[in-house]
Every structure is written in structure tokens, then in C-alpha cells.
């Protein structure tokens, strides 16, 4: 007989997971609380023997645990031991979280229809405040919204941020939750009504528009990469894919042609700051500041190739003269004479792992990414050349989530922050199933 304590604990974990994507919309603290609670409750279930879990259910969890142990080892030898060890040791919460969600899925405790509806409500809630800002010109977090009733609508900010206020992460949030939503949709699709499916298509279009209006170039690029990948890999839905893509292209074109500030941000700044160096008269993939971050991080890696500098050590080590040697410096303003290579992180997952965890963890994440690309490439070959389905859509969307968000040639956030880790670990249990094969 199942006792009430077990049922209450299981349901609590399940609903915390359901509302985790919403919590991510409020910054890094709340999702951290959700994940810690899930981990603690799940560990309690293991200790009272209500739950049985294999330590190494498949090779994916082997990779995950080895990655974690290496990050601890690199932190032990770090110049910033306290900060590094705090980050690396407590990263275990995400791994325990992965075990907990895998257990929920294995025991068919997650109701994907309900989960999809909650996710749809979550993304609608976030979009509502983004749309409100675009229509009124006032951001409800950082502006005095009551002035709208006095002045009427004004020209919106160059970059729409909605509930995120002065943090420019609306595009990144929408992209991540949208990719996760596609996974859950592909699982729950047969249980959904036509009205819900139609509303979902509307939400897809609005997400595409507001990722664009967020002005986050990395998110816009990854969205385009996602659309192209869905075209090439997803089975069926050809009319839907073409219709949504045409609507987005048309809307983006109208916005660029009709709004000078959007044209300046998306077209001119992208070209002159990211793709073309006027100073050196050459094509480049990243801005001068991003390149300075990368060079500094690589200098750290060259000095500490085996274990790197330790989690979250870049922010300190980048100031060391031996790592900032030959790195360009700012020439004006308050930062005059300060190296361009310093920031809280190097703005690229792979370069950050090289600098902070060394070659072994870099090999693990590259190998992990290679397996994902390999599976997607086999799906591409089967779909276009053999006219057959190698993977189901739910598998493709799961693999695409990581293929897109771990895309190596794009600036990114810090791999070890709670906000980034919370989004990356959302579908991790779904992905682990692919490593059983």
C-alpha cells in the first residue's frame, strides 16, 4: 500500500517541476530554490527506501558525474578556492534533480498534457508583459507605468525586456522555454484539443516576434538555427512549418524597414560590431570585446591545461597580468587602461570550460555534443535520402534543444550560473533516454 507521505512527496516534486520554467522567468534565485527542494525531497525518498535508484542508469549519468568530480578537483587547485568549490560542489543539486525527473518519467508520474498547458500558460504570461511594453512603450518593472494613463503610448525601448526589466534576457528565456515546450508538445500532442493546438501556433509566432524584438543577437541567431533545423529534421507538418516561417520572415522584414532603431540594432550594429572590423578592414565572427574575453580565457587554459582555473575563476584570473598580456585595453572613459578581456565569464560555454575546468571536461562536453549531432545527422540522412523516420519527433526536439543551446560558435552566458543551468537541465531526463541506445 502506498502511504500518504510518499504520495505527497511525489506530487510536490512533480508540481515543482511543472512550475520550474515559470520560476526561471523571475531570475536565478527561485529556480535554485525549486531545484534544491526537488533534490532534498528526492534524497529523503531514497533514504527512507520509498524509491530505488541506480547510481549509473546509463552512460549519460556516468558522463555527468565524471564532469562534476573533475570540476571539484579543478576547484581544489584553484586560486579562488572558496568561490570555485562553492560552485562546483553544490552543482550536484542539478545532477540529483536529473535523477529525480528521470524517476518521475520512468514511473509515468508526469502528466504531459497538464505540463504542456502549464508551460503554455507560463509563456503566455511572459509574453503578455512583453506585448504590453511594446504597445505602451512602458516597461512595468523599471518604468512608472501609471504615466501611460497620462501620456498615452510612447515609442517603445530599442530592446523589449518585459518582466525582466533592465536584464536583457527576454529573448534567451523565450527561446529556451519554447524549445522545451516543443518537446512536451510532441509527447502530449494526441491528448490536446484543436483549440489548444491553434493557440499553441499563435504562441509560436509571438515567441518568434518577441525574440526578435528583444534585440538579443545570439538568441535571434539560435532561433533561426532552430527554424532551419526543424525544417530539415522534423517529420511531417510541412504546411505548418512553411506558414509560420513565412509569417516570421514577413514580420521581421516589416519591423526592420519601419523601425529605424530595430534596423540599427539588428542590421547595422550586427555588421559593424560583430561581423566586420572597420579598424582592421576584415570579416570577424565576434566583437572586439568578445575576442578579448576568448583570448584571455585561452591564456588561462594554456597556463592550466589539465584542470583549468576552477569554476567561476575567470572573473578573478582575467585581471592577472600574465593572462591579460597582449589583450587590448579600453582607451576612453572610466575604463581607460583596463583590459578588455575581463568579465564575469568568457561569454562562450566551451572556452569557459577550457579555462575553468581544463581539457578533460572540455573533451566530455565535446563528446556529448558530438553524439547529439551524430544522431541528428543520421536523422537528416534517413529523412532526405532514404525517405524514412530514424527518430520520432519527441526525440528530435529533445536533441535539438541541446544542439541549439550548446551551439559552439555564438556568445553565451556562464555555464555555471543557476539561471543557465536551470534551463539546460529542464529536459535533461528526456535526453538521458537517448543514451540508453
Amino acid at each position: 500500500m502506498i502511504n500518504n507521505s510518499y504520495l505527497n512527496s511525489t506530487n510536490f516534486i512533480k508540481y515543482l517541476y511543472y512550475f520550474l520554467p515559470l520560476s526561471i522567468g523571475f531570475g536565478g534565485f527561485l529556480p535554485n530554490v525549486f531545484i534544491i527542494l526537488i533534490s532534498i525531497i528526492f534524497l529523503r525518498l531514497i533514504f527512507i527506501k520509498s524509491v530505488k535508484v541506480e547510481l549509473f542508469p546509463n552512460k549519460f549519468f556516468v558522463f555527468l558525474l565524471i564532469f562534476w568530480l573533475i570540476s571539484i578537483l579543478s576547484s581544489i587547485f584553484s586560486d579562488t578556492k572558496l568561490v570555485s568549490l562553492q560552485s562546483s560542489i553544490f552543482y550536484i543539486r542539478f545532477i540529483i534533480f536529473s535523477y529525480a525527473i528521470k524517476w518521475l518519467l520512468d514511473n509515468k508520474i508526469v502528466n504531459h498534457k497538464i505540463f504542456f498547458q502549464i508551460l503554455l500558460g507560463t509563456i503566455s504570461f511572459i509574453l503578455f508583459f512583453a506585448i504590453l511594453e511594446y504597445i505602451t512603450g512602458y516597461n512595468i518593472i523599471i518604468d512608472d507605468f501609471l504615466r501611460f494613463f497620462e501620456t498615452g503610448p510612447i515609442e517603445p525601448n530599442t530592446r523589449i525586456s518585459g518582466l525582466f526589466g533592465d536584464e536583457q534576457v527576454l529573448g534567451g528565456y523565450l527561446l529556451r522555454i519554447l524549445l522545451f515546450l516543443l518537446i512536451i508538445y510532441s509527447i502530449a500532442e494526441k491528448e490536446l484539443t484543436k483549440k489548444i493546438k491553434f493557440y499553441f501556433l499563435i504562441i509560436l509566432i509571438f515567441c518568434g516576434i518577441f525574440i526578435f524584438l528583444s534585440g538579443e543577437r545570439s538568441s535571434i541567431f539560435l532561433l533561426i538555427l532552430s527554424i532551419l533545423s526543424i525544417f530539415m529534421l522534423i517529420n511531417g507538418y510541412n504546411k505548418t512549418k512553411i506558414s509560420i516561417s513565412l509569417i516570421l520572415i514577413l514580420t521581421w522584414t516589416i519591423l526592420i524597414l519601419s523601425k529605424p532603431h530595430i534596423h540599427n540594432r539588428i542590421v547595422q550594429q550586427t555588421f559593424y560590431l560583430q561581423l566586420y572590423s572597420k579598424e582592421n578592414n576584415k570579416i570577424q565572427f565576434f566583437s572586439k570585446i568578445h575576442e578579448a574575453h576568448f583570448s584571455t580565457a585561452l591564456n588561462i587554459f594554456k597556463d592550466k591545461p589539465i584542470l583549468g582555473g576552477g569554476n567561476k575563476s575567470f572573473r578573478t584570473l582575467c585581471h592577472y597580468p600574465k593572462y591579460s598580456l597582449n589583450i587590448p585595453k579600453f582607451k576612453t572613459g572610466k575604463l581607460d587602461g583596463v583590459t578588455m578581456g575581463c568579465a564575469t565569464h568568457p561569454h562562450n560555454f566551451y572556452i569557459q570550460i577550457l579555462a575553468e575546468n581544463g581539457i578533460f571536461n572540455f573533451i566530455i562536453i565535446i563528446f556529448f555534443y558530438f553524439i547529439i549531432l551524430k544522431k541528428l545527422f543520421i536523422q537528416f540522412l534517413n529523412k532526405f535520402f532514404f525517405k524514412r523516420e530514424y527518430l520520432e519527433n519527441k526525440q528530435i526536439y529533445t536533441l535539438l534543444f541541446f544542439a541549439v543551446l550548446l551551439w559552439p560558435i555564438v556568445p553565451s552566458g556562464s555555464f555555471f550560473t543557476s539561471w543557465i543551468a536551470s534551463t539546460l537541465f529542464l529536459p535533461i531526463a528526456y535526453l538521458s533516454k537517448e543514451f540508453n541506445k
Side-chain angles (χ1 to χ4, degrees), residues 346-357:
H347 291 87
N348 181 278
F349 290 151
Y350 296 89
I351 293 176
Q352 180 182 9
I353 288 168
L354 270 176
E356 295 188 344
N357 280 180

Side-chain angles (χ1 to χ4, degrees), residues 417-433:
T417 60
S418 297
W419 197 84
I420 292 291
S422 297
T423 57
L424 286 176
F425 275 80
L426 265 177
I428 209 89
Y430 296 90
L431 179 71
S432 73
K433 291 185 176 182

Side-chain angles (χ1 to χ4, degrees), residues 106-388:
D106 289 344
N107 289 275
K108 297 180 170 51
I109 294 170
V110 175
N111 184 319
H112 286 97
K113 179 183 177 181
I114 292 174
F115 195 13
F116 176 78
Q117 291 171 337
I118 292 172
L119 279 171
L120 204 56
T122 294
I123 212 162
S124 301
F125 176 73
I126 298 296
L127 279 171
F128 171 79
F129 289 98
I131 293 168
L132 188 66
E133 180 180 344
Y134 186 73
I135 292 172
T136 66
Y138 289 95
N139 182 285
I140 198 165
I141 302 297
I142 58 176
D143 296 326
D144 182 4
F145 193 77
L146 292 176
R147 288 187 61 197
F148 165 70
F149 299 101
E150 300 172 6
T151 65
I154 59 174
E155 188 69 23
N157 296 318
T158 303
R159 301 174 64 181
I160 302 296
S161 61
L163 278 179
F164 296 97
D166 55 5
E167 291 186 47
Q168 301 294 338
V169 295
L170 174 67
Y173 176 84
L174 288 176
L175 177 70
R176 285 162 172 78
I177 303 304
L178 178 60
L179 290 172
F180 184 56
L181 186 64
L182 288 168
I183 297 171
I184 306 305
Y185 173 79
S186 63
I187 297 170
E189 182 181 5
K190 292 179 181 178
E191 302 176 64
L192 303 174
T193 64
K194 288 184 179 178
K195 287 182 180 179
I196 291 291
K197 289 179 181 178
F198 180 73
Y199 181 67
F200 172 57
L201 294 179
I202 300 298
I203 289 298
L204 288 180
I205 292 168
F206 272 96
C207 281
I209 292 170
F210 277 89
I211 289 171
F212 187 81
L213 287 173
S214 75
E216 295 171 44
R217 287 184 284 260
S218 293
S219 296
I220 294 169
F221 170 78
L222 293 177
L223 174 63
I224 294 169
L225 178 65
S226 302
I227 293 170
L228 292 174
S229 300
I230 287 169
F231 252 101
M232 292 187 293
L233 299 169
I234 291 297
N235 305 304
Y237 304 97
N238 291 329
K239 289 182 180 178
T240 303
K241 290 187 285 189
I242 291 170
S243 299
I244 290 177
S245 299
L246 288 176
I247 290 170
L248 288 177
I249 291 169
L250 180 62
T251 306
W252 293 344
T253 304
I254 291 171
L255 286 169
I256 287 173
L257 294 177
S258 63
K259 303 287 184 180
H261 64 277
I262 293 177
H263 179 271
N264 179 58
R265 170 74 189 175
I266 304 300
V267 179
Q268 289 186 303
Q269 287 187 32
T270 299
F271 182 74
Y272 286 111
L273 293 181
Q274 298 287 136
L275 301 177
Y276 174 71
S277 169
K278 210 169 185 180
E279 183 181 336
N280 299 318
N281 191 28
K282 68 174 184 178
I283 301 296
Q284 60 187 22
F285 286 106
F286 302 101
S287 70
K288 189 175 181 179
I289 292 177
H290 281 134
E291 286 187 350
H293 294 157
F294 300 161
S295 297
T296 304
L298 291 173
N299 286 342
I300 296 170
F301 167 68
K302 289 173 187 175
D303 187 50
K304 303 172 183 287
I306 307 301
L307 293 172
N311 287 21
K312 295 189 175 182
S313 62
F314 179 81
R315 65 191 68 190
T316 300
L317 298 182
C318 66
H319 291 284
Y320 288 17
K322 63 178 177 179
Y323 301 134
S324 60
L325 192 66
N326 300 324
I327 303 298
K329 292 180 173 56
F330 291 102
K331 296 179 180 178
T332 57
K334 293 180 180 179
L335 296 176
D336 185 24
V338 176
T339 174
M340 288 184 178
C342 257
T344 54
H345 56 89
H347 291 87
N348 181 278
F349 290 151
Y350 296 89
I351 293 176
Q352 180 182 9
I353 288 168
L354 270 176
E356 295 188 344
N357 280 180
I359 192 66
F360 293 119
N361 269 358
F362 178 76
I363 290 171
I364 288 174
I365 196 170
I366 286 290
F367 180 66
F368 167 74
Y369 196 67
F370 171 77
I371 291 173
I372 290 172
L373 292 187
K374 177 187 171 185
K375 286 178 177 287
L376 291 175
F377 183 64
I378 294 172
Q379 164 65 12
F380 173 78
L381 293 178
N382 275 273
K383 183 182 177 187
F384 280 92
F385 296 100
F386 303 110
K387 307 301 178 185
R388 65 189 181 202

Side-chain angles (χ1 to χ4, degrees), residues 57-61 63 102 105-106 183 186-187 368 371-376 378-379 390-402 427-437:
N58 55 41
K59 58 188 175 184
F60 172 78
F61 282 94
F63 293 148
K102 183 181 184 302
L105 296 176
D106 289 344
I183 297 171
S186 63
I187 297 170
F368 167 74
I371 291 173
I372 290 172
L373 292 187
K374 177 187 171 185
K375 286 178 177 287
L376 291 175
I378 294 172
Q379 164 65 12
Y390 169 69
L391 297 171
E392 297 177 54
N393 283 343
K394 63 183 179 182
Q395 295 172 293
I396 300 168
Y397 280 126
T398 303
L399 293 167
L400 270 181
F401 180 96
F402 293 94
I428 209 89
Y430 296 90
L431 179 71
S432 73
K433 291 185 176 182
E434 293 306 306
F435 284 75
N436 289 329
K437 301 169 186 177

